[in-house]
Amino acid sequence: MSSEGLSNLLHEERTFEPSEEFVAQANGTAELFERAEQDREAFWAEQARAYVQWETDFEKVLDWSEAPFAKWFLGGRLNACVNAVDRHVEAGHGDRVAIHWIGEPEDETRDITYAELHGMVQRAANALADLGVGEGDTVAIYLPMIPEAAVAMLACARLGAPHSVVFGGFSAEALHSRIDDAGAKVVITADGGYRRGKPSALKPAVDAALDHDDNPVQHVLVVQRTGQETDWTEGRDVWWHEALEAADETHEAQAFDAEHPLFILYTSGTTGKPKGIFHATGGYLVQTAYTNAIVHDVHPETDVYWCTADIGWVTGHSYIVYGPMTLGATQVMYEGTPDTPHQGRFWEIVQDAKVTILYTAPTAIRTFMKWGEDIPAKYDLSSLKLLGSVGEPINPEAWMWYRRVIGGDRTPIVDTWWQTETGAIMISPVPGVTPTRPGSAQHPIPGISALVVDDLGEPVEKGSGGYLVLTEPWPSMLRGIWGDPERYVDTYWSRFKDVYFAGDGAKLDEDGNIWVLGRVDDVMNVSGHRMSTAEIESALVSHPKVAEAAVVGATDDTTGQAICAFVILREEAVSEADDAGEGEDLVAELRNHVAREIGAIAKPRQIMVVPELPKTRSGKIMRRLLKDVAENREVGDVTTLADSSVMNLISEGMTKG
Ligand code: WTA
């Protein structure tokens, strides 16, 4: 881990007590901590029965005998879609708005009640069944932020068909590898979506992704969103609206085992191949609903909740679809970007929809800071009662700005630490209980145990740093990596004995608060999105002109980290580029190549063409040194380099370029 991250300990002592008014209405109480402390499994059994409706009650809370392969709520049977939709209608809340959808084009909104959602998920489930989807079949979903994305996920869950949502910003190549790995039978997509005021096509990426031998996909269901011209493969492609119209309007949902896989979600790891993290139905639903209630403090009768994440990431899965809907909440879903058509769009939405709970990412907050506080000042934000942050460390300055400018110096802020793998929030203030500290995620929530340990796995003293580990299994934990149980054990359970290694560095402050500092492996966090250095390197070397590549994440004021690439060209390419003076074109070409291979979000901010890369004698690239260069620092200790003159060559190249 970078030693400067740890030695540079923050001395933050401000705390903010929740107001009496907030405490009086809060879902999360101090008693929860006591209950969980007394008997962890009994505590989780209580939450499971409080937040989820079981078709058949479970007999045993946890089976950890085959650790690290856990089973939770054994013998229990349930349907996730029934929990998220049907039961609210049955309880008489059919008229409650489930999704207040706001399109990017300004005059476009749709309010969908739970009763309407019920109608949609039943038809969608029948339409999928008509295309041959049944229990255990995987379905890929590649959609923009439209209500159909949530409907598609819920319809899959209704059928016991694990969904694999692929973020709409990923390229055809990335989609192809994910479809293949999961063996998806059907892909659900749209003709396109709106991006910064313009329709942008999605379907061509699906067509390209399926243009391979032995592709497992039989049908493509296409939502009509933009109405743009769309190529069609007869017999394979089906319009979503036509399929739903033709489908039966009622669908009898079946209950599945608590351990039945609910979804797969791919995330970047330390190798070039993304990991298919998969989650089981029961435990995942319990913990997402529980945390949405006690951390976001959602009260379904009164709150208007808004999570600004995209449904393609885990935050969208847990805190747009499964958590809030299992609670029966009313939420805002927004299709567009924060600056379309103007930089006050988020605050206009908060004002108009009277949003009470806002959950967003530090990158967004830092961007709003840059745009200036006079923009949010134009809107009435007094409906807000709680603010949340997720995805990356939030620096105290951004935290304070968020509280003062957006929260009117009044709202608690929950800085929530968790991962695709953990499925739900693990470390966070409980807002009616915890006095909050700017910049820290603070403590494990009731029912969760975490520690900061040193290299040997020993808990560190207060005031020191180390690695973040989770010491007990938890209900929404990943059940594994799809098709690769060994990689699951190696990645998470081998670094330290018997505990889960999160891959994050952390420090403990003098008051025992946990500060998560960021990844300690070769994973970058760019605007809260996980990117693997290896994945981008392998995209770069797949370009015919590139011989070798090394990628590092350099600190960036807005995005947290930015992707910086160092490439060595093949000899032919070097002379060609020199002859034609084409250095700049080549960099642009390489950036576009990465966008094609992975997606625009993976485009390096900087690509530096270098003659050599710094390597140890065993041939390992010394990223630490490259990071120094990328961050314009004095280059650090080079004594372990096989050839220490390499760094001079790189620095020279930098000054020349
Ligand atoms: C980082 C997103 C600091 C961390 C839910 C983690 C955070 C990775 C925080 C998971 C936070 C997430 N403070 N760092 N509050 N939340 N992270 O899988 O490095 O996309 O390991 O899940 O984001 O990213 P993922």
Side-chain angles (χ1 to χ4, degrees):
M1 128 168 16
S2 81
S3 51
E4 95 251 21
L6 289 183
S7 56
N8 185 11
L9 294 185
L10 300 145
H11 294 287
E12 178 60 63
E13 284 176 352
R14 289 172 287 199
T15 49
F16 294 90
E17 297 279 347
S19 68
E20 270 173 42
E21 193 193 346
F22 191 92
V23 174
Q25 58 85 59
N27 289 327
T29 59
E31 199 216 332
L32 287 174
F33 285 94
E34 285 159 32
R35 283 288 300 140
E37 191 64 33
Q38 281 160 7
D39 187 341
R40 220 171 51 86
E41 287 188 25
F43 170 82
W44 279 118
E46 279 167 26
Q47 308 317 318
R49 294 192 177 106
Y51 289 105
V52 165
Q53 175 180 304
W54 300 85
E55 188 66 34
T56 310
D57 195 13
F58 49 89
E59 288 148 15
K60 189 173 162 85
V61 179
L62 169 67
D63 179 358
W64 192 228
S65 61
E66 286 167 50
F69 296 90
K71 292 196 178 79
W72 281 86
F73 309 120
L74 290 90
R77 295 183 73 79
L78 75 167
N79 185 294
C81 180
V82 167
N83 268 279
V85 183
D86 303 35
R87 69 157 160 156
H88 308 309
V89 179
E90 280 154 24
H93 306 310
D95 291 339
R96 185 184 294 161
V97 172
I99 301 175
H100 175 60
W101 180 78
I102 300 172
E104 199 192 74
E106 257 200 304
D107 44 9
E108 208 178 346
T109 61
R110 276 166 82 186
D111 278 349
I112 300 172
T113 64
Y114 275 98
E116 285 164 342
L117 194 58
H118 191 214
M120 293 166 86
V121 294
Q122 292 185 82
R123 282 186 182 271
N126 284 325
L128 284 168
D130 292 343
L131 295 177
V133 175
E135 179 178 352
D137 292 330
T138 52
V139 174
I141 298 177
Y142 186 65
L143 282 172
M145 284 291 284
I146 53 177
E148 284 78 5
V151 173
M153 290 163 74
L154 292 166
C156 289
R158 195 173 187 89
L159 295 170
H163 52 71
S164 164
V165 180
V166 179
F167 174 58
F170 277 120
S171 68
E173 235 350 89
L175 178 62
H176 162 237
S177 70
R178 287 160 175 77
I179 286 173
D180 248 20
D181 188 77
K185 205 165 170 180
V186 166
V187 181
I188 307 176
T189 188
D191 50 359
Y194 283 91
R195 284 272 325 150
R196 301 193 194 278
K198 286 196 285 286
S200 136
L202 266 185
K203 172 78 166 28
V206 177
D207 292 337
L210 301 186
D211 189 14
H212 287 273
D213 296 340
D214 62 29
N215 113 65
V217 173
Q218 294 164 8
H219 289 288
V220 179
L221 255 180
V222 188
V223 177
Q224 198 165 39
R225 163 68 188 125
T226 57
Q228 64 202 108
E229 195 75 33
T230 302
D231 282 350
W232 209 250
T233 303
E234 285 306 328
R236 185 195 73 184
D237 298 350
V238 182
W239 284 113
W240 165 273
H241 60 275
E242 288 177 3
L244 262 66
E245 224 167 78
D248 230 346
E249 63 179 356
T250 55
H251 177 270
E252 194 74 41
Q254 190 194 327
F256 300 100
D257 191 89
E259 282 298 312
H260 187 71
L262 180 62
F263 68 85
I264 309 168
L265 185 58
Y266 287 84
T267 187
S268 295
T270 53
T271 70
K273 188 173 182 280
K275 303 176 283 196
I277 303 299
F278 79 95
H279 282 281
T281 311
Y284 175 80
L285 219 57
V286 168
Q287 198 174 326
T288 52
Y290 159 75
T291 46
N292 198 223
I294 71 142
V295 176
H296 298 110
D297 202 49
V298 168
H299 293 69
E301 309 77 27
T302 48
D303 279 317
V304 178
Y305 164 86
W306 182 21
C307 165
T308 68
D310 190 282
I311 231 154
W313 308 109
V314 75
T315 308
H317 283 58
S318 301
Y319 297 111
I320 294 177
V321 180
Y322 292 106
M325 293 197 184
T326 298
L327 296 180
T330 295
Q331 69 179 308
V332 166
M333 181 176 181
Y334 174 52
E335 182 185 36
T337 51
D339 55 354
T340 309
H342 57 83
Q343 294 178 334
R345 190 74 198 268
F346 267 31
W347 318 121
E348 182 179 73
I349 292 173
V350 168
Q351 168 182 283
D352 294 352
K354 299 198 166 48
V355 171
T356 58
I357 302 163
L358 177 70
Y359 192 36
T360 193
T363 293
I365 298 164
R366 290 191 292 262
T367 303
F368 298 137
M369 284 173 75
K370 227 169 36 190
W371 290 347
E373 59 187 87
D374 51 315
I375 296 173
K378 288 188 211 134
Y379 301 90
D380 176 6
L381 306 180
S382 62
S383 56
L384 289 167
K385 69 158 200 192
L386 179 102
L387 303 174
S389 170
V390 61
E392 19 160 0
I394 176 164
N395 45 312
E397 193 196 352
W399 194 103
M400 290 299 298
W401 187 93
Y402 196 25
R403 180 180 157 99
R404 180 174 60 79
V405 178
I406 307 304
D409 248 335
R410 177 188 76 245
T411 60
I413 295 182
V414 288
D415 172 13
T416 62
W417 177 87
W418 58 293
Q419 308 177 296
T420 304
E421 291 87 339
T422 70
I425 293 168
M426 305 293 282
I427 302 178
S428 166
V430 174
V433 182
T434 320
T436 50
R437 168 145 306 175
S440 169
Q442 299 190 285
H443 306 288
I445 59 168
I448 299 301
S449 328
L451 282 177
V452 181
V453 301
D454 64 17
D455 275 320
L456 301 172
E458 297 297 326
V460 302
E461 306 271 317
K462 284 181 181 163
S464 309
Y467 304 95
L468 182 63
V469 298
L470 303 168
T471 56
E472 298 286 348
W474 63 99
S476 65
M477 66 195 288
L478 72 165
R479 297 305 193 261
I481 294 175
W482 198 251
D484 200 347
E486 241 169 80
R487 191 173 177 197
Y488 167 63
V489 177
D490 287 350
T491 311
Y492 305 106
W493 299 93
S494 304
R495 179 76 171 76
F496 301 106
K497 194 173 163 348
D498 298 335
V499 300
Y500 172 91
F501 172 50
D504 279 319
K507 78 162 235 220
L508 217 52
D509 71 14
E510 297 296 343
D511 300 321
N513 291 301
I514 296 175
W515 293 67
V516 181
L517 302 172
R519 307 291 306 187
V520 293
D521 51 14
D522 293 333
V523 175
M524 296 168 288
N525 191 329
V526 182
S527 298
H529 300 148
R530 276 162 72 171
M531 297 282 150
S532 136
T533 54
E535 209 178 336
I536 298 171
E537 285 163 5
S538 90
L540 283 166
V541 296
S542 73
H543 189 281
K545 291 185 182 157
V546 175
E548 258 191 276
V551 167
V552 296
T555 306
D556 184 282
D557 283 348
T558 306
T559 60
Q561 284 188 308
I563 304 168
C564 293
F566 295 81
V567 298
I568 302 179
L569 297 181
R570 287 178 191 277
E571 249 169 61
E572 321 82 78
V574 178
S575 42
E576 272 173 38
D578 277 354
D579 292 349
E582 278 173 348
E584 263 171 48
D585 289 355
L586 178 67
V587 165
E589 183 181 327
L590 293 179
R591 292 182 74 234
N592 290 334
H593 178 73
V594 174
R596 257 194 316 278
E597 289 293 306
I598 305 173
I601 42 169
K603 267 190 189 177
R605 180 187 72 181
Q606 255 171 307
I607 295 183
M608 290 169 251
V609 177
V610 294
E612 283 296 340
L613 289 171
K615 289 190 184 150
T616 60
R617 282 172 196 91
S618 60
K620 202 171 173 320
I621 293 173
M622 294 189 67
R623 287 171 211 283
R624 180 172 55 80
L625 298 180
L626 293 175
K627 234 176 131 124
D628 287 343
V629 174
E631 293 175 350
N632 303 318
R633 262 196 311 274
E634 193 80 3
V635 173
D637 184 9
V638 296
T639 48
T640 51
L641 270 181
D643 172 5
S644 59
S645 62
V646 166
M647 287 316 292
N648 296 337
L649 280 176
I650 293 180
S651 307
E652 269 169 39
M654 297 283 305
T655 43
K656 257 204 301 184

